[in-house]
């Protein structure tokens, strides 16, 4: 079984995927900015997509000098290039290790000029994961009587900055922007968290299951990410459902597991939390083993048990600056809205989930 943060880089620069402390940005953060253009044959028209986030959108791979070339936002750009028959410049303004407040203040607000360009047609973001990883670490280290306030603070911080980010993007993105989308959080370390705490519950005097406490917290974060998206004109790419549920009906309820786990527009927080963390809990699987059928699975999580897997090489991104470059699409023709490896890697799956909301024309 894999364990969280097995290498030093994982400790210093964890990314986006769990709950959160209500705290300012960590000292150990790393800007990993990339601009990569999908250069399509036979066209010179260029549209821009902008993605803000932490190490998930950065394509963090444990290195301080490079990152995945095809992290989810660039995979999304490939789909858009095929749909629009145009060159797509994907600008990733990401900061590995950044908590939600840091992403909001120092990426979305401070670097708003990228989404204000007239060529911009889509803006996406993700946040809250590093806040969550800090909260999880803090809770795991507790002894004596358990203090659940760190998890409540995580939820509240995520809600605050997700809502603020949407409001700011709505107010500042160029009028030509046709799509705004947010990704919610998958649960890295789901299997590893199936252990008891070192602290004891004040009421029972017993230790508690880490997963029993963390799962409802991430469910609340994910609910409000998608609910705010509904309220504020964004689309929500449900990465929790895409990563944590199988692509077949494992429990015989008539629904594919990943579809059954998805946020339902207009449902209440209580309904969503109960459905994803209680009713359908038996269908949840660690994303290290993402079942795409009853007999076939892929590993969506790197060896740090946190960041998505990827393919397609790396680009410079980190202490020695970021890459600005271009290259031909890996898949000039994409049939039925899915490239041939759409479900084989974590970043490919998230990129596809972002792409399903793309408008038919620029």
């Amino acid at each position: 079984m894999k364990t969280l943060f097995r290498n030093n880089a994982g400790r210093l620069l964890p990314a986006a995927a769990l709950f959160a402390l209500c705290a300012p940005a960590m000292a150990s953060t790393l800007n990993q900015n990339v601009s990569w253009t999908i250069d399509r044959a036979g066209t010179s028209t260029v549209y821009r997509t902008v993605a803000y986030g932490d190490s998930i959108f950065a394509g963090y791979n444990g290195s301080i000098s490079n990152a995945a070339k095809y992290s989810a936002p660039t995979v999304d750009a490939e789909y858009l290039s095929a749909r629009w028959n145009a060159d797509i410049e994907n600008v990733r303004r990401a900061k590995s290790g950044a908590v939600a407040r840091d992403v909001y203040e120092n990426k979305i607000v401070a670097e708003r000029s990228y989404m204000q360009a007239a060529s911009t047609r889509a803006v996406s973001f993700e946040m809250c994961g590093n806040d969550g990883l800090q909260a999880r670490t803090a809770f795991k280290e507790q002894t004596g009587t358990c203090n659940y306030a760190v998890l409540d603070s995580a939820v509240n911080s995520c809600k605050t900055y997700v809502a603020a980010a949407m409001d700011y993007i709505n107010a500042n993105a160029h009028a030509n922007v046709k799509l705004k989308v947010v990704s919610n959080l998958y649960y890295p370390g789901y299997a590893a968290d199936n252990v008891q705490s070192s602290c004891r519950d004040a009421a029972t005097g017993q230790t508690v299951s880490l997963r029993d406490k963390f799962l409802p917290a991430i469910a609340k974060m994910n609910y409000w990410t998608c609910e705010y998206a509904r309220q504020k004109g964004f689309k929500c790419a449900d990465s929790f459902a895409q990563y944590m549920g199988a692509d077949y009906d494992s429990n015989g309820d008539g629904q594919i597991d990943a579809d059954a786990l998805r946020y339902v527009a207009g449902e209440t927080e209580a309904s969503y939390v109960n459905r994803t963390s209680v009713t359908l809990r038996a269908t949840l699987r660690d994303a290290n083993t993402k079942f795409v059928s009853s007999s076939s699975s892929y590993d969506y999580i790197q060896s740090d048990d946190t960041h998505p897997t990827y393919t397609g090489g790396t680009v410079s991104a980190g202490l020695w600056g970021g890459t600005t470059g271009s290259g031909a699409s890996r898949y000039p023709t994409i049939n039925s809205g899915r490239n041939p490896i759409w479900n084989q890697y974590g970043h490919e799956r998230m990129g596809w989930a972002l792409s399903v909301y793309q408008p038919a024309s620029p």
Side-chain angles (χ1 to χ4, degrees):
M1 182 181 294
K2 298 176 182 176
T3 57
L4 285 171
F5 314 133
R6 62 180 60 183
N7 56 43
N8 203 38
R11 292 189 193 93
L12 292 175
L13 296 168
L18 203 55
F19 344 122
L21 279 171
C22 184
M26 294 191 304
S28 52
T29 57
L30 177 69
N31 281 303
Q32 292 193 291
N33 301 315
V34 173
S35 175
W36 191 262
T37 299
I38 307 301
D39 189 2
R40 194 166 188 81
T43 180
S44 59
T45 303
V46 181
Y47 298 108
R48 171 182 284 185
T49 64
V50 180
Y52 298 101
D54 50 38
S55 58
I56 298 302
F57 273 12
Y60 182 74
N61 63 358
S63 171
I64 61 173
S65 61
N66 64 67
K69 179 187 294 185
Y70 291 99
S71 76
T74 304
V75 173
D76 180 33
E78 274 196 322
Y79 282 104
L80 195 58
S81 177
R83 181 183 291 264
W84 289 355
N85 190 32
D87 296 342
I88 302 296
E89 177 197 23
N90 174 235
V91 176
R92 286 151 42 187
R93 306 302 297 182
K95 192 174 187 180
S96 291
V99 294
R101 177 179 174 179
D102 196 1
V103 173
Y104 171 68
E105 293 179 349
N106 295 310
K107 286 300 174 182
I108 294 173
V109 175
E111 300 186 4
R112 60 189 174 275
S113 63
Y114 293 95
M115 63 176 159
Q116 292 175 328
S119 61
T120 306
R121 293 297 183 275
V123 178
S124 61
F125 78 95
E126 51 81 26
M127 58 172 57
C128 299
N130 285 301
D131 312 65
L133 291 172
Q134 290 184 41
R136 178 165 68 181
T137 297
F139 189 81
K140 284 182 175 181
E141 292 175 348
Q142 288 184 17
T143 57
T145 302
C146 294
N147 177 6
Y148 303 124
V150 292
L151 303 183
D152 296 333
S153 294
V155 174
N156 291 333
S157 179
C158 186
K159 289 171 62 177
T160 295
Y161 290 106
V162 165
M166 291 179 184
D167 289 340
Y168 195 86
I169 291 168
N170 281 337
N172 288 275
H174 196 279
N176 288 340
V177 168
K178 302 189 71 172
L179 173 66
K180 291 166 285 190
V181 58
V182 63
S183 172
N184 70 6
L185 308 177
Y186 58 92
Y187 186 161
Y190 183 75
D193 283 346
N194 189 26
V195 295
Q196 295 298 112
S197 65
S198 298
C199 63
R200 295 180 178 274
D201 183 82
T204 67
Q206 303 299 310
T207 60
V208 299
S209 164
L210 297 182
R211 197 161 67 185
D212 284 352
K213 292 299 177 182
F214 297 157
L215 183 58
I218 195 173
K220 291 176 183 178
M221 287 179 161
N222 284 340
Y223 171 79
W224 285 106
T225 296
C226 291
E227 175 61 14
Y228 283 142
R230 182 187 70 83
Q231 294 177 15
K232 297 175 184 291
F234 279 67
K235 300 298 184 182
C236 187
D238 198 330
S239 293
F240 182 85
Q242 299 297 335
Y243 276 53
M244 308 303 295
D247 290 335
Y248 72 99
D249 180 7
S250 71
N251 63 347
D253 67 354
Q255 295 186 85
I256 292 171
D257 291 357
D259 291 341
L261 288 165
R262 291 177 60 184
Y263 162 81
V264 176
E267 71 180 320
T268 65
E269 178 190 60
S271 173
Y272 175 84
V273 172
N274 185 71
R275 178 166 57 82
T276 57
S277 61
V278 180
T279 305
L280 297 177
R281 180 165 175 167
T283 69
L284 297 178
R285 296 291 184 273
D286 192 291
N288 280 291
T289 309
K290 163 68 183 187
F291 279 93
V292 297
S293 72
S294 60
S295 59
S296 181
S297 68
Y298 293 100
D299 190 348
Y300 276 18
I301 307 293
Q302 296 178 42
S303 61
D304 64 1
D305 212 15
T306 302
H307 295 91
T309 51
Y310 65 93
T311 188
T314 62
V315 290
S316 296
L319 291 182
W320 292 276
T323 289
T324 299
S326 64
S329 174
R330 297 172 300 170
Y331 305 104
T333 301
I334 296 178
N335 297 317
S336 302
R338 294 172 175 174
N339 74 31
I341 58 171
W342 75 281
N343 62 355
Q344 296 179 23
Y345 299 90
H347 274 297
E348 295 292 331
R349 185 60 176 250
M350 189 181 294
W352 170 80
L354 292 168
S355 78
V356 299
Y357 301 109
Q358 293 170 351
S361 64

